[in-house]
Amino acid sequence: MYLYKATCPDIPNPKQKGTRCQVGVQAQGPGQGRLVSHAPTGTGPRPYAPLMLWTTNKPNSVAQLKQLEEFLNFHSLSLQDTVKSQTGMVYRNLGKSGLRVSCLGLGTWVTFGGQITDEVAEQLMTIAYESGVNLFDTAEVYAGGRAEIILGNIIKKKCWRRSSLVITTKLYWGGKAETERGLSRKHIIEGIHTHTHMQRTKQQLQTFRFSLPQFVIVSIQSLSTTSTFASLRPPGLKGSLQRMQLEYVDVVFANRPDSNTPMEEIVRAMTYVINQGMAMYWGTSRWTAMEIMEAYSVARQFNLIPPVCEQAEYHLFQREKVEVQLPELYHKIGVGAMTWSPLACGIITGKYDNGIPESSRASMKSYQWLKEKIVSEDGRKQQAKLKELNHIAEKLGCTLPQLAVAWCLRNEGVSSVLLGTSNPEQLTENLGAIQVLPKMTSHVVSDIDHILGNRPYSKKEYRS
């Protein structure tokens, strides 16, 4: 059904009878006009009051702003009394959704429950939150579930308003059993029964605590935060919510694609957890553009909820996906980008110039692949480029990590960049990238591209 809106010339003028007024259109320019009434002979045209329904005249923005300020002042509020104005943090929409996230977020991979203590984790979250960061990312697989436990404990201890936080988690690796991993409906949703069983086991052990040795009693008291307890973690989103002591997460991510599960089942499961109030949005991580497009098509076909965001690796030496593939998805279906590892697992910090420090991530047994990458031929070439980039950082009055993070943020298609730091000094330094962002002019970006020599080209540029 098509609606027809009559224009002024389509409306016939009433017949002239006696002194009855005529209604007509007085031309004022191309495509413009105003209604006038033609009074009896001897008098000039009398304009009607302006019509605001179909006109293109925009109201005075200054007057509107003043009215808004008066309204807020009446309710003891102010436009200047916001976290954004107090901290200087930049906020962006997550994809084309209405969710506003800080352009810098705090990740928990490797650090929470592993590389740092719980006390340091609390310091990091406090610094981030007080600096305007509202996005905190974790996953069920991080530190065997301990990362989620620590994150939830800190939020509960600090008494932060849940409405002021954007909490995201990722699902795929839930346990050792075949049904505890992947993106099946069973794994995405379940977790409540396993958690109840563990709590019951813990209560039974507490019942007999008086007849147990002291070292066993201590183990029981710390059961909920030990790796043993975490290894029994309930899989799925319900398990993640229980570990974080939250009623919902803002975004739940599919941590990687699952070729064993039909796409319709994945999209239906994600739609279910959103409809049940366990999540607000869902997204993907490490998915190809084709897989994301398939999920979107399935969602539109069956009236389900499509993903709003893709988590992707993005830094000076990893650019293709975020700069070529994801922008096309953003313009077509509204999928945004939340990027991680802006410092390439610490490579861009320059701390590997003279070898592998003992306290670094590359020195950990599970990160031998990173050590091999650093000492390889490509790794040495990257270190040489970083020395050249350091000169640009000095000219801008910033550090190399700040330059690298600001370089990621200069991409308007990136909704947020996740930071992973192991001490408060690193986090404070990385948050300073917000001040460097205005200095990322086209000339500076061009100089960086010239040094890197890895700028990807889009399809349009290939055609031209």
Side-chain angles (χ1 to χ4, degrees), residues 149-455:
I149 293 174
I150 295 171
L151 180 69
N153 288 340
I154 295 173
I155 293 174
K156 184 177 181 180
K157 179 181 178 181
K158 304 298 289 188
C159 297
W160 291 329
R161 297 189 316 279
R162 179 63 184 89
S163 57
S164 67
L165 301 171
V166 177
I167 307 298
T168 68
T169 192
K170 297 181 284 294
L171 304 176
Y172 190 93
W173 306 103
K176 296 181 179 180
E178 191 69 16
T179 55
E180 293 177 338
R181 56 183 61 188
L183 298 177
S184 66
R185 178 182 176 90
K186 173 182 174 63
H187 174 58
I188 289 176
I189 297 173
E190 74 178 0
I192 185 69
H193 302 297
T194 311
H195 178 76
T196 304
H197 172 71
M198 286 191 295
Q199 292 286 27
R200 189 183 300 114
T201 302
K202 185 179 177 182
Q203 291 172 0
Q204 290 173 352
L205 290 172
Q206 289 282 11
T207 304
F208 300 101
R209 66 185 184 277
F210 297 108
S211 60
L212 295 174
Q214 182 63 30
F215 75 91
V216 178
I217 295 175
V218 174
S219 299
I220 293 173
Q221 291 173 345
S222 61
L223 186 61
S224 62
T225 58
T226 59
S227 59
T228 303
F229 183 81
S231 66
L232 299 174
R233 65 186 185 275
L237 182 55
K238 288 183 179 179
S240 293
L241 294 177
Q242 289 153 2
R243 283 189 292 276
M244 291 186 285
Q245 306 172 66
L246 299 176
E247 294 182 358
Y248 66 92
V249 293
D250 296 280
V251 187
V252 56
F253 287 94
N255 205 2
R256 56 164 292 174
D258 184 6
S259 59
N260 293 322
T261 304
M263 186 61 73
E264 182 182 344
E265 180 177 344
I266 298 172
V267 179
R268 285 191 181 276
M270 290 298 188
T271 301
Y272 174 83
V273 298
I274 293 176
N275 290 338
Q276 292 297 311
M278 292 187 284
M280 300 296 182
Y281 306 87
W282 79 277
T284 58
S285 179
R286 301 172 183 264
W287 284 33
T288 65
M290 186 177 297
E291 289 164 338
I292 298 172
M293 198 67 191
E294 181 185 357
Y296 175 84
S297 300
V298 168
R300 285 291 174 254
Q301 180 181 357
F302 297 104
N303 196 27
L304 304 173
I305 300 175
V308 299
C309 181
E310 159 69 7
Q311 271 198 13
E313 183 179 6
Y314 185 47
H315 50 76
L316 293 169
F317 304 116
Q318 184 76 30
R319 308 177 58 175
E320 178 75 22
K321 183 176 183 179
V322 174
E323 295 187 9
V324 177
Q325 300 175 18
L326 293 186
E328 189 173 355
L329 286 178
Y330 173 79
H331 293 296
K332 286 185 176 180
I333 61 177
V335 172
M338 184 185 295
T339 66
W340 49 275
S341 194
L343 302 180
C345 294
I347 294 177
I348 299 177
T349 61
K351 62 183 176 183
Y352 296 117
D353 289 346
N354 302 316
I356 310 296
E358 294 183 0
S359 59
S360 65
R361 187 175 300 185
S363 64
M364 302 172 66
K365 291 183 179 180
S366 57
Y367 285 87
Q368 286 301 304
W369 59 268
L370 179 59
K371 181 178 180 180
E372 294 173 359
K373 182 178 180 180
I374 293 172
V375 300
S376 66
E377 182 65 26
D378 290 339
R380 286 193 290 268
K381 291 180 180 179
Q382 290 177 354
Q383 293 298 326
K385 293 179 179 179
L386 291 176
K387 291 180 180 179
E388 295 185 54
L389 291 174
N390 200 39
H391 296 309
I392 297 180
E394 291 176 354
K395 292 180 181 178
L396 298 179
C398 65
T399 64
L400 183 58
Q402 289 175 336
L403 176 68
V405 175
W407 179 87
C408 294
L409 290 176
R410 111 279 179 207
N411 188 334
E412 296 181 352
V414 174
S415 299
S416 185
V417 175
L418 297 176
L419 304 174
T421 58
S422 57
N423 60 69
E425 292 75 20
Q426 288 180 357
L427 179 58
T428 303
E429 178 186 1
N430 293 344
L431 290 173
I434 296 291
Q435 312 302 326
V436 185
L437 184 57
K439 302 178 182 179
M440 298 298 294
T441 62
S442 58
H443 178 71
V444 173
V445 174
S446 177
D447 290 343
I448 294 175
D449 287 338
H450 179 72
I451 294 174
L452 295 175
N454 63 352
R455 180 174 176 268

